[in-house]
Amino acid sequence: MKICIDERAYQGSAAEIMEQLRQQTFDPTEYPDTESYIHQLRSNFIRATDLDCPLPESGVEGQALAMFAHLAKAGALVILEE
Protein backbone atom coordinates (compact mmCIF):
# COMPACT_ATOMS: atom_id res chain seq x y z
CA MET A 1 0.00 0.00 0.00
CA LYS A 2 1.11 3.55 -0.65
CA ILE A 3 -0.60 6.71 0.62
CA CYS A 4 0.11 10.43 0.47
CA ILE A 5 -0.60 12.87 3.29
CA ASP A 6 0.32 16.53 2.78
CA GLU A 7 2.71 15.70 -0.08
CA ARG A 8 4.52 13.04 1.99
CA ALA A 9 4.33 9.43 0.80
CA TYR A 10 4.14 6.42 3.09
CA GLN A 11 4.59 2.84 1.89
CA GLY A 12 4.15 -0.60 3.45
CA SER A 13 1.27 -2.63 4.78
CA ALA A 14 -1.62 -0.61 6.20
CA ALA A 15 -0.57 -1.55 9.74
CA GLU A 16 3.07 -0.55 9.03
CA ILE A 17 2.00 2.84 7.70
CA MET A 18 -0.28 3.39 10.69
CA GLU A 19 2.65 2.56 12.99
CA GLN A 20 4.82 5.11 11.14
CA LEU A 21 2.11 7.72 11.73
CA ARG A 22 1.85 6.75 15.41
CA GLN A 23 5.61 7.20 15.81
CA GLN A 24 5.32 10.72 14.35
CA THR A 25 2.78 11.92 16.93
CA PHE A 26 3.89 14.50 19.46
CA ASP A 27 4.09 11.80 22.13
CA PRO A 28 3.99 8.29 20.64
CA THR A 29 3.94 6.79 24.14
CA GLU A 30 0.44 8.27 24.54
CA TYR A 31 -0.77 5.43 22.31
CA PRO A 32 0.90 2.20 23.48
CA ASP A 33 0.24 0.33 20.25
CA THR A 34 -1.03 0.74 16.70
CA GLU A 35 -4.55 -0.42 17.54
CA SER A 36 -5.02 2.23 20.24
CA TYR A 37 -3.75 4.87 17.79
CA ILE A 38 -6.28 3.73 15.16
CA HIS A 39 -9.11 4.03 17.69
CA GLN A 40 -7.97 7.53 18.64
CA LEU A 41 -7.89 8.50 14.93
CA ARG A 42 -11.39 7.07 14.59
CA SER A 43 -12.65 9.18 17.50
CA ASN A 44 -11.06 12.31 16.06
CA PHE A 45 -12.50 11.54 12.61
CA ILE A 46 -16.03 11.17 13.98
CA ARG A 47 -15.73 14.40 16.00
CA ALA A 48 -14.30 16.36 13.06
CA THR A 49 -16.60 15.08 10.31
CA ASP A 50 -19.78 13.92 12.07
CA LEU A 51 -19.53 10.84 9.83
CA ASP A 52 -19.81 7.23 10.92
CA CYS A 53 -16.52 5.35 10.87
CA PRO A 54 -17.07 1.64 11.37
CA LEU A 55 -13.97 -0.50 11.79
CA PRO A 56 -13.89 -4.27 11.32
CA GLU A 57 -12.92 -6.59 14.15
CA SER A 58 -10.50 -8.36 11.80
CA GLY A 59 -7.31 -7.16 13.48
CA VAL A 60 -4.99 -4.20 13.10
CA GLU A 61 -4.39 -4.60 9.34
CA GLY A 62 -8.11 -4.63 8.56
CA GLN A 63 -8.77 -1.71 10.89
CA ALA A 64 -5.94 0.31 9.36
CA LEU A 65 -7.22 -0.37 5.83
CA ALA A 66 -10.73 0.71 6.81
CA MET A 67 -9.45 3.84 8.55
CA PHE A 68 -7.40 4.83 5.50
CA ALA A 69 -10.47 4.33 3.29
CA HIS A 70 -12.55 6.63 5.55
CA LEU A 71 -9.78 9.25 5.63
CA ALA A 72 -9.41 9.11 1.84
CA LYS A 73 -13.16 9.53 1.36
CA ALA A 74 -13.02 12.63 3.57
CA GLY A 75 -10.06 14.04 1.59
CA ALA A 76 -7.51 13.74 4.41
CA LEU A 77 -5.16 11.54 2.35
CA VAL A 78 -4.77 9.99 -1.08
CA ILE A 79 -4.40 6.25 -1.57
CA LEU A 80 -1.81 5.85 -4.35
CA GLU A 81 -1.61 2.03 -4.34
CA GLU A 82 -3.62 -0.62 -2.54
Side-chain angles (χ1 to χ4, degrees):
M1 166 171 241
K2 188 173 182 180
I3 67 168
C4 183
I5 302 173
D6 295 330
E7 299 183 16
R8 182 167 179 189
Y10 298 87
Q11 192 167 345
S13 72
E16 289 169 343
I17 294 170
M18 199 60 79
E19 178 61 17
Q20 290 173 44
L21 296 173
R22 184 183 79 85
Q23 291 294 323
Q24 291 177 3
T25 62
F26 290 107
D27 182 8
T29 61
E30 184 175 353
Y31 311 105
D33 55 31
T34 305
E35 188 172 14
S36 64
Y37 179 69
I38 292 169
H39 287 280
Q40 180 61 37
L41 279 178
R42 179 182 180 267
S43 295
N44 291 344
F45 178 88
I46 292 169
R47 264 195 306 278
T49 65
D50 251 351
L51 298 172
D52 193 19
C53 186
L55 297 178
E57 294 183 23
S58 60
V60 174
E61 182 68 19
Q63 291 174 357
L65 282 169
M67 193 70 238
F68 286 140
H70 291 299
L71 290 166
K73 186 184 270 188
L77 59 84
V78 176
I79 296 175
L80 302 171
E81 294 175 14
E82 297 222 21

